[in-house]
Amino acid sequence: MSPLTNMLVFLATLAGMEVFAWWAHKYVMHGWGWGWHKSHHEPRSGWFEKNDLYAVVFAGVGVLLIAPDPADRPRHGRLSPAGMDRRWHDGLRLSLLRRP
């Protein structure tokens, strides 16, 4: 593929991931998944909260979607948005933990 096509696929993947994250937060986490997500809106009592189970579940789904690639194509376009998302949210979370 051309560099332009690669960039467009990357940007489309990033945009799609953000749309899914918005949808999952609104309709899953604040809907039928409130039992786990509620802990995110309450004072934390330890290092982890039930809401962290979403990261485990979504990471597992991501691994399942990446693993069965029969063509063994480079996976940068699929891994980079996830890495950017992880760095953004983990960085945000760590900065909130450091506040007095």
Side-chain angles (χ1 to χ4, degrees), residues 3 8 13 44 49 53 56 62 70 97:
L8 291 175
T13 302
R44 188 183 317 229
E49 52 192 38
L53 292 171
V56 174
L97 285 174

Side-chain angles (χ1 to χ4, degrees), residues 36-81:
W36 285 2
H37 189 63
K38 180 172 59 171
S39 67
H40 184 64
H41 294 277
E42 297 172 343
R44 188 183 317 229
S45 61
W47 281 99
F48 298 103
E49 52 192 38
K50 268 189 173 179
N51 186 65
D52 294 334
L53 292 171
Y54 281 114
V56 174
V57 170
F58 290 145
V61 170
V63 167
L64 290 175
L65 291 174
I66 292 169
D69 188 358
D72 198 31
R73 294 181 299 262
R75 294 171 173 91
H76 298 85
R78 288 182 268 173
L79 291 178
S80 295

Side-chain angles (χ1 to χ4, degrees), residues 44 46-49 90-100:
R44 188 183 317 229
W47 281 99
F48 298 103
E49 52 192 38
D90 287 356
L92 180 64
R93 183 173 177 174
L94 289 175
S95 69
L96 293 175
L97 285 174
R98 291 186 193 122
R99 288 186 178 179

Side-chain angles (χ1 to χ4, degrees), residues 79-93:
L79 291 178
S80 295
M84 291 168 60
D85 186 60
R86 182 187 55 78
R87 285 189 291 277
W88 167 256
H89 288 103
D90 287 356
L92 180 64
R93 183 173 177 174

